[in-house]
Amino acid sequence: MKPNFEFDGEKYKAASKHQKEWGSKIISELNLSGDEAILDLGCGDGVLTAQLASLVPHGRVLGIDASEGMIATAKKLESDIVSFQVLDIDGIDFTDEFDLIFSNATLHWIKDHKRLLQHAYEGLKSGGFLRFNFAGDGNCASFEKVTRAAIRDIHYQPYFKDFEWPWYMPAVSNYELLVKESSFTDVRVWLENADRHFSSPKEMIHWIDQPSLVPFLMHIPIEEDKKRFRDTVVNRMKELTLQDDGRCFETFRRINVYARK
């Protein structure tokens, strides 16, 4: 059974500066006529969905997310043009409905991308296109190292007996083959190095708490152990990433996808 990750939309909104930067850059490069129908997969707090809506004053935008907490925050941005719905990406079932399917910093949470691409293809109108950005191989190398070590710790091992790593972060070459094996045309897949210096340990810790640690903490039912696990990861991350100038460095490798129906 697919785990249900529940996020705090307000905390995510405050801790997702770099996700907003990536998404805003992509949105600024879109060439839209203003009357498109757009689907935003994994809309989170809805800020980027609203940016998309500003480009289509005669169109409409639907943002979906499996997290009720995210959608509760996003719904504050609803208008005549933009709406939000609690819906798992794995459950989308649209037919010839959208001119653009967009997703930013979300799809590494989805394991079956063959199915995702098929559903996206079916949901697009003829001539429509998708534009994705998500984590690829090498992303968050320090965080992965620290959390893998933590779940192997003898104190926490029992909690993670049946744990499944929550993210799919493929090599760009493998993902390019996957998209080209689908029905899409004009396929472009490329890797972006978006390595980041957090301005301070505090900024990095906000990102660790929401959303990065969510899949791990949900496996620890005892509050004392939950806090200890969280503090272990945070302290080790500070040790591993803190630079001489007071900033914290982490790797962010993004797979970008463009494809047309």
Side-chain angles (χ1 to χ4, degrees):
M1 179 180 294
K2 179 180 177 181
N4 180 26
F5 302 128
E6 186 53 57
F7 302 101
D8 185 314
E10 295 300 325
K11 288 183 178 179
Y12 177 82
K13 186 175 181 179
S16 54
K17 180 180 177 180
H18 53 292
Q19 290 97 325
K20 301 292 196 309
E21 290 173 355
W22 301 330
S24 294
K25 180 177 181 294
I26 294 169
I27 291 171
S28 71
E29 296 169 353
L30 294 172
N31 184 20
L32 301 176
S33 62
D35 60 357
E36 288 87 352
I38 301 173
L39 175 63
D40 183 3
L41 301 178
C43 64
D45 58 29
V47 170
L48 293 176
T49 321
Q51 285 187 31
L52 287 167
S54 71
L55 300 180
V56 289
H58 305 293
R60 64 182 180 89
V61 184
L62 171 63
I64 67 167
D65 203 292
S67 167
E68 293 183 2
M70 290 290 203
I71 293 298
T73 295
K75 277 187 170 291
K76 299 173 184 178
L77 300 174
E78 283 192 327
S79 68
D80 292 341
I81 297 173
V82 61
S83 61
F84 297 95
Q85 180 181 348
V86 176
L87 179 63
D88 194 313
I89 292 171
D90 282 331
I92 62 173
D93 186 24
F94 301 102
T95 302
D96 300 329
E97 190 164 337
F98 299 100
D99 301 286
L100 164 63
I101 297 181
F102 172 90
S103 186
N104 176 72
T106 296
L107 298 180
H108 44 279
W109 295 91
I110 304 301
K111 296 296 185 71
D112 189 347
H113 276 238
K114 184 176 181 179
R115 177 171 63 178
L116 166 67
L117 291 167
Q118 180 60 36
H119 286 176
Y121 185 86
E122 293 168 355
L124 284 169
K125 300 175 184 177
S126 179
F129 68 101
L130 59 80
R131 182 66 175 88
F132 296 162
N133 167 46
F134 63 97
D137 185 41
N139 191 71
C140 297
S142 295
F143 183 78
E144 178 169 347
K145 179 180 179 180
V146 169
T147 50
R148 286 193 183 277
I151 64 178
R152 289 195 300 267
D153 185 285
I154 190 170
H155 188 79
Y156 304 112
Q157 278 182 3
Y159 297 133
F160 293 96
K161 182 179 178 180
D162 300 317
F163 182 73
E164 179 180 326
W165 195 251
W167 301 296
Y168 166 69
M169 300 182 185
V172 67
S173 57
N174 293 340
Y175 201 79
E176 183 176 24
L177 287 175
L178 185 65
V179 182
K180 287 184 175 179
E181 288 172 354
S182 69
S183 301
F184 284 99
T185 61
D186 191 16
V187 172
R188 284 172 265 166
V189 181
W190 67 99
L191 184 67
E192 178 185 3
N193 184 334
D195 291 354
R196 179 178 180 84
H197 284 88
F198 291 95
S199 62
S200 66
K202 182 178 180 180
E203 184 188 8
M204 182 183 69
I205 292 168
H206 285 321
W207 163 76
I208 291 173
D209 282 333
Q210 197 75 220
S212 304
L213 271 180
V214 169
F216 302 91
L217 296 183
M218 64 183 289
H219 280 264
I220 305 175
I222 300 174
E223 287 301 319
E224 183 179 354
D225 284 350
K226 194 188 295 283
K227 181 181 185 303
R228 186 186 296 119
F229 183 91
R230 181 262 182 193
D231 291 346
T232 296
V233 171
V234 165
N235 290 333
R236 182 65 182 123
M237 280 292 289
K238 287 193 290 187
E239 293 172 3
L240 197 60
T241 66
L242 188 61
Q243 308 294 295
D244 290 340
D245 62 3
R247 299 184 298 169
C248 293
F249 175 81
E250 179 59 289
T251 61
F252 286 94
R253 308 295 162 81
R254 319 305 299 172
I255 289 180
N256 285 274
V257 184
Y258 172 92
R260 188 172 290 277
K261 180 174 180 177

